[in-house]
Amino acid sequence: MQPVILTRDQHGISRQQISDNALKVLYRLNKSGFEAYLVGGGVRDLLLGRQPKDFDIATSATPEQVKQLFSNSRLVGRRFRLAHILFGRDVIEVATFRGHHHEVNNNKNISSQSSEGMLLRDNVYGTIEEDAERRDFSVNALYYNIADFSVVGFANGLKDLEDRRLELIGDPETRYREDPVRMIRAVRFSAKLGLTISARTEAPIRDLAPLLGDIPAARLFEETLKLLLAGYGLETYRQLQQYGLFAPLFPEAAEVMGQGDNDYHKFLELALTNTDERIAQDLRVTPAFLYAALLWGPVETRTQQFMHEGGLNYYDAFLLAMDEVLGRQVKSVAIPRRFSSVVRDIWMLQDRLTKRSGKRPHRLLEHPKFRAGYDFLLLRAELDPRLKELADWWTDFQLANPVDRQQLSRTAQARHNQFGGEEPTKAPRKRPRRRPRKKKEA
Ligand code: ATP
Ligand code: MG
């Protein structure tokens, strides 16, 4: 773990590229006699000439010492304690150098008891070298030293970054078994930063991919957001497929996509392309829309099965399919309810958007998720020409003035009659189920 040091004049990072808040924290730690470094993604991205997402700090100060230095801080993390320094909505994460688990008995820096008197086995503090060894990839074991503005690289990280190579620190199989999430982090960094995963780093992934099944579903939800909603979703998805990592995350979707060459596969690629473009334009993206696209194939497939094998009508089959698909998905990757309810709305709207007669389309415009449902329909129409007329109609309807809307609604009514109540769309529709009118009691 011999470090390579680039002095201030040997690298391009200037303090102007680092957030004021991160600099404040670094300076105060340094003035108080502690070592303080910018670490990981922040340094890596700056060296690549990119704007880092956030700035993380590593220091020789213990969390308690950090807490004493910053009144605007709080300690977080159960396994490994970190300090969060709060500047309004900006949070700077400060971590004490981590040591090795197995040195738990002879590490002089061990803080053996928390304030609650609980033994914190994982809180083993160490040196910067030990901290570097515990990081995942060599390009993440880079430190920017606030004391002299040098960059310190461990594990050949600086050279790997220069060669655009993603290299796991230590023995890959051991490191993946220690934390299987590192496999999807490999894909994420490769896709996002255009790095090539080295042969030894990629070799065990296919075999070990099923280990993702052991990771708590809630953690995987956070990870999938970083995978698919960070602006490089399409490339990330392709690599997930390539390394056999897609199936353990999204088993139902993987199943209907077969060999990754059918319409559902194309549909997801289209949705991801769309999402990436929106992010590039600084537009809002919601996990719900992407999850709706990801699981649309399973929902349609299950609906058909419930209809043809279970003898259910379309509407009941569809409701059951939604429940089942979401219920199975959350076992591997949790979807918080605030998103899954929107996923359902988007799906339900696909049926409601086919009903264009009378007052219904006017009412539908008021639906809080109308826009997402309509966008979803547009996306489906790109792959299914039968939906094009419907999608165009809704585009016109939204743009039209009230008089024209009446006209459009009448045209749709005529169309509705012409097709005997069946719109020529892909989704099988159920006929409206009319309850027999109750006889008015005399
Ligand atoms: P991003 O640009 O996505 O923020 P990052 O490299 O900063 O990339 P984070 O998830 O913010 O990634 O993690 C910060 C640092 O913590 C990483 O650079 C890495 O050194 C270390 N790290 C994060 N997750 C792991 C892990 N599972 N195993 C080992 N080290 C990790
Ligand atoms: Mg980060």
Side-chain angles (χ1 to χ4, degrees):
M1 269 290 176
Q2 270 305 311
V4 172
I5 298 176
L6 299 180
T7 57
R8 172 66 194 94
D9 54 339
Q10 291 172 320
H11 65 78
I13 299 181
S14 104
R15 270 164 290 163
Q16 277 163 10
Q17 298 166 294
I18 303 168
S19 82
D20 289 345
N21 294 334
L23 284 174
K24 262 186 231 164
V25 176
L26 287 167
Y27 281 132
R28 189 176 302 176
L29 285 166
N30 181 250
K31 285 213 184 82
S32 311
F34 299 108
E35 291 175 62
Y37 298 84
L38 209 60
V39 65
V43 185
R44 178 198 69 213
D45 291 355
L46 286 178
L47 286 173
L48 286 172
R50 288 161 168 264
Q51 182 56 40
K53 214 174 63 198
D54 45 36
F55 293 99
D56 297 323
I57 290 172
T59 179
S60 58
T62 64
E64 288 73 18
Q65 288 168 327
V66 176
K67 178 124 204 323
Q68 276 181 357
L69 277 179
F70 298 92
S71 56
N72 53 330
S73 67
R74 56 165 193 227
L75 300 187
V76 297
R78 269 181 303 154
R79 273 189 63 229
F80 192 79
R81 294 180 104 200
L82 306 165
H84 276 176
I85 321 241
L86 315 169
F87 298 90
R89 295 177 66 185
D90 188 22
V91 179
I92 305 288
E93 196 171 284
V94 181
T96 307
F97 294 144
R98 289 181 76 163
H100 294 288
H101 289 253
H102 55 264
E103 290 170 5
V104 84
N105 293 323
N106 54 23
N107 189 307
K108 59 183 186 323
N109 288 335
I110 180 170
S111 118
S112 57
Q113 296 208 317
S114 74
S115 51
E116 296 85 28
M118 219 168 57
L119 188 70
L120 294 174
R121 261 188 57 90
D122 281 343
N123 265 341
V124 183
Y125 305 127
T127 61
I128 186 171
E129 285 83 5
E130 288 167 324
D131 187 83
E133 264 176 73
R134 291 201 47 85
R135 298 200 173 256
D136 45 7
F137 301 97
S138 69
V139 296
N140 286 342
L142 306 175
Y143 300 72
Y144 173 86
N145 189 351
I146 198 65
D148 60 6
F149 315 124
S150 63
V151 169
V152 188
F154 291 90
N156 207 36
L158 286 165
K159 183 78 171 66
D160 288 340
L161 194 65
E162 203 179 305
D163 298 343
R164 302 287 188 270
R165 188 171 46 235
L166 197 64
E167 194 80 72
L168 207 53
I169 297 175
D171 171 56
E173 178 162 349
T174 313
R175 300 302 310 279
Y176 290 139
R177 286 190 183 280
E178 231 171 61
D179 183 4
V181 167
R182 288 171 185 150
M183 293 186 276
I184 50 184
R185 285 176 62 88
V187 163
R188 176 157 78 87
F189 292 131
S190 161
K192 173 176 156 183
L193 305 170
L195 307 177
T196 306
I197 306 178
S198 80
R200 57 182 278 282
T201 297
E202 73 172 5
I205 297 185
R206 241 176 199 292
D207 287 343
L208 300 182
L211 292 180
L212 284 173
D214 303 336
I215 306 295
R219 181 176 177 204
L220 286 182
F221 176 73
E222 296 300 324
E223 291 297 331
T224 57
L225 295 189
K226 293 191 211 164
L227 283 170
L228 303 176
L229 286 163
Y232 306 86
L234 180 64
E235 178 57 25
T236 308
Y237 163 66
R238 288 182 174 164
Q239 290 203 29
L240 287 176
Q241 285 280 22
Q242 180 194 333
Y243 288 110
L245 292 165
F246 184 72
L249 294 174
F250 309 107
E252 301 272 297
E255 204 174 302
V256 300
M257 282 178 197
Q259 298 305 306
D261 49 5
N262 63 16
D263 275 357
Y264 290 128
H265 164 77
K266 285 189 211 137
F267 182 58
L268 181 56
E269 289 215 337
L270 208 58
L272 287 165
T273 306
N274 223 290
T275 306
D276 291 347
E277 280 168 8
R278 287 185 66 92
I279 293 169
Q281 295 165 26
D282 257 334
L283 296 172
R284 220 173 60 89
V285 291
T286 153
F289 191 86
L290 201 63
Y291 268 92
L294 193 64
L295 299 174
W296 180 242
V299 168
E300 275 202 320
T301 310
R302 289 304 277 156
T303 302
Q304 291 298 324
Q305 282 170 358
F306 284 137
M307 284 171 74
H308 296 125
E309 290 156 29
L312 295 180
N313 66 39
Y314 174 67
Y315 191 72
D316 291 344
F318 188 63
L319 288 184
L320 209 60
M322 288 200 302
D323 281 346
E324 193 188 270
V325 169
L326 283 170
R328 287 191 180 172
Q329 177 58 56
V330 298
K331 286 186 186 145
S332 34
V333 178
I335 309 172
R337 213 165 284 277
R338 67 182 185 281
F339 296 124
S340 64
S341 70
V342 181
V343 172
R344 280 171 196 275
D345 282 343
I346 292 172
W347 287 341
M348 296 284 283
L349 278 164
Q350 299 315 297
D351 184 50
R352 292 185 62 188
L353 282 162
T354 62
K355 296 169 180 152
R356 294 181 271 173
S357 53
K359 290 211 167 29
R360 289 172 131 180
H362 298 269
R363 276 205 300 267
L364 210 53
L365 285 183
E366 309 298 319
H367 191 289
K369 295 300 162 201
F370 171 82
R371 183 73 209 189
Y374 162 74
D375 283 343
F376 198 80
L377 174 66
L378 290 188
L379 208 61
R380 291 170 60 214
E382 278 193 52
L383 281 179
D384 186 347
R386 286 170 298 179
L387 291 171
K388 185 151 177 13
E389 188 275 330
L390 182 66
D392 289 345
W393 187 90
W394 276 103
T395 307
D396 294 341
F397 190 73
Q398 288 174 81
L399 295 172
N401 61 39
V403 179
D404 291 345
R405 275 189 189 166
Q406 295 296 343
Q407 183 53 40
L408 276 163
S409 170
R410 273 194 292 276
T411 327
Q413 177 73 60
R415 215 182 149 75
H416 186 78
N417 295 340
Q418 176 194 344
F419 286 103
E422 290 291 336
E423 300 269 354
T425 59
K426 193 179 173 196
R429 291 179 60 253
K430 100 179 164 98
R431 278 170 180 281
R433 226 181 355 177
R434 291 221 173 79
R435 290 219 187 95
R437 270 203 200 122
K438 269 189 199 151
K439 275 191 196 131
K440 274 198 183 135
E441 269 157 47

